C-alpha cells in the first residue's frame, strides 16, 4: 500500500530505482519493483503474473526479455570507478557429526510418515524444507522449533504418537549441544581476528544467521573463549543505534540475523 502511494505521487515523472536485492524470496518481488517504475511492462495483477511466469516455465524467456527493458544488473567487479574495500574469503567445510547424521535420519523418517497432523497439507513441502534449513543452521534451532510444533498437537485427537515422536527428536537435538557449525565458528574466529590484526584493522566480527535461535549458542559459548563483555546481542532480535554504538565503542562481536543486518551501516564501527 505504501509503495502504491509513492508510485501514484510520482506518476508522470522519471524514476530510477536502486536495489541490492531485486529478488529475495519470490519472482513477485521483480513484478512489484518493475511495476513501481513502469506499469506497462507487466500488465495485470499479481495473480496474472504468477499464472503466466511462475506456474509455467515455458514463458521464462519472455519474462527475461520484458525485465531487460528496465532492469540493469551491475556486478561488484563491474564497479571499477568506485573504491571498494578488498575482501578476503575463507570458506570452511563443516562435516556433520555422527550424532547430527542420526538426527537427520530420524527427522527424515518423521517426514516420510503417510499423514502428519502437525503440518498443513498445502504447505507441507515448504515447511519440510524450512526444518531442513533449521537443522543445517544448528541443532538448537531445530529443537526449539520442534518443541513448538509438538505443543500444537496437545489438543489434537489421534496425534499423541506424533507428538511424542516430535518431542523425542527435539530431545535428541538438545543432546547434541552446540553442533559442528558452532564449533567450527569458535575455531575460525581467532584466525579471522589474527588476520585483521596483521592488516592493522580493528579486531571485530559480525556473525549473521538466518535464525535468531542459532545465535543463542554462540552467545553462550563465546564468553568462555576470550570474548566476555565484548559481545553485542539483543535476545529480542532488534539491533538499534545503541547496540551499534556499543559495538563501535567496546564490542568485538556483533550477533544479528540476516534480516536485521540488511541495511545496517557499520562503517563507523571500524
Amino acid at each position: 500500500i505504501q509503495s502504491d502511494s509513492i508510485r501514484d505521487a510520482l506518476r508522470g515523472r522519471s524514476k530510477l530505482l536502486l536495489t541490492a536485492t531485486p529478488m529475495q524470496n519470490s519472482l513477485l518481488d521483480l513484478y512489484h519493483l518493475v511495476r513501481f517504475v513502469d506499469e506497462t511492462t507487466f500488465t495485470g495483477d499479481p495473480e496474472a503474473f504468477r499464472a503466466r511466469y511462475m506456474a509455467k516455465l515455458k514463458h521464462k524467456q519472455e519474462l527475461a526479455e520484458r525485465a531487460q527493458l528496465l532492469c540493469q544488473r551491475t556486478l561488484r567487479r563491474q564497479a571499477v570507478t568506485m573504491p571498494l574495500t578488498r575482501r578476503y574469503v575463507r570458506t570452511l567445510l563443516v562435516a556433520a557429526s555422527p550424532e547430527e547424521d542420526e538426527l537427520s535420519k530420524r527427522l527424515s523418517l518423521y517426514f516420510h510418515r503417510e499423514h502428519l497432523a502437525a503440518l498443513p497439507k498445502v504447505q507441507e513441502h515448504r515447511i519440510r524444507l524450512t526444518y531442513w534449513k533449521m537443522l543445517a543452521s544448528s541443532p538448537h534451532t531445530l529443537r526449539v522449533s520442534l518443541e513448538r510444533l509438538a505443543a500444537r498437537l496437545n489438543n489434537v485427537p489421534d496425534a499423541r504418537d506424533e507428538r511424542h515422536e516430535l518431542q523425542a527428536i527435539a530431545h535428541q537435538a538438545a543432546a547434541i549441544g552446540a553442533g559442528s557449525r558452532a564449533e567450527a565458528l569458535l575455531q575460525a574466529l581467532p584466525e579471522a581476528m589474527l588476520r585483521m590484526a596483521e592488516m592493522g584493522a580493528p579486531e571485530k566480527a559480525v556473525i549473521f544467521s538466518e535464525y535468531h535461535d542459532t545465535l543463542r549458542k554462540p552467545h553462550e559459548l563465546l564468553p568462555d573463549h576470550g570474548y566476555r563483555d565484548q559481545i553485542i546481542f539483543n535476545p529480542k532480535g532488534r539491533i538499534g543505534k545503541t547496540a551499534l554504538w556499543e559495538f563501535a565503542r567496546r564490542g568485538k562481536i556483533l550477533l544479528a540475523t540476516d534480516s536485521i543486518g540488511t541495511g545496517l551501516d557499520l562503517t563507523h564501527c571500524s
Side-chain angles (χ1 to χ4, degrees), residues 109-149:
L109 287 174
Y110 167 73
F111 282 145
H112 280 85
R113 288 187 171 204
E114 186 175 349
H115 173 69
L116 295 176
L119 305 182
K121 195 66 178 177
V122 294
Q123 297 180 341
E124 187 174 313
H125 178 68
R126 182 183 63 81
I127 295 175
R128 286 184 184 186
L129 291 177
T130 299
Y131 278 99
W132 285 120
K133 287 168 60 180
M134 290 180 183
L135 175 58
S137 185
S138 79
H140 173 71
T141 299
L142 179 67
R143 175 189 68 80
V144 172
S145 187
L146 288 180
E147 287 176 348
R148 294 171 184 159
L149 193 63

Side-chain angles (χ1 to χ4, degrees), residues 23-37:
M23 286 185 292
Q24 288 186 294
N25 300 313
S26 170
L27 275 175
L28 281 176
D29 296 340
L30 179 64
Y31 167 84
H32 290 295
L33 289 172
V34 170
R35 288 274 298 180
F36 183 87
V37 176

Side-chain angles (χ1 to χ4, degrees), residues 178-191:
S180 56
R181 293 152 192 82
E183 293 171 359
L185 172 65
L186 294 175
Q187 295 175 8
L189 265 178
E191 178 185 338

Side-chain angles (χ1 to χ4, degrees), residues 100-110 132 135 172:
E100 288 171 327
D101 281 336
E102 289 300 316
L103 177 63
S104 175
K105 292 175 184 177
R106 189 164 186 178
L107 185 66
S108 179
L109 287 174
Y110 167 73
W132 285 120
L135 175 58
Q172 186 173 341

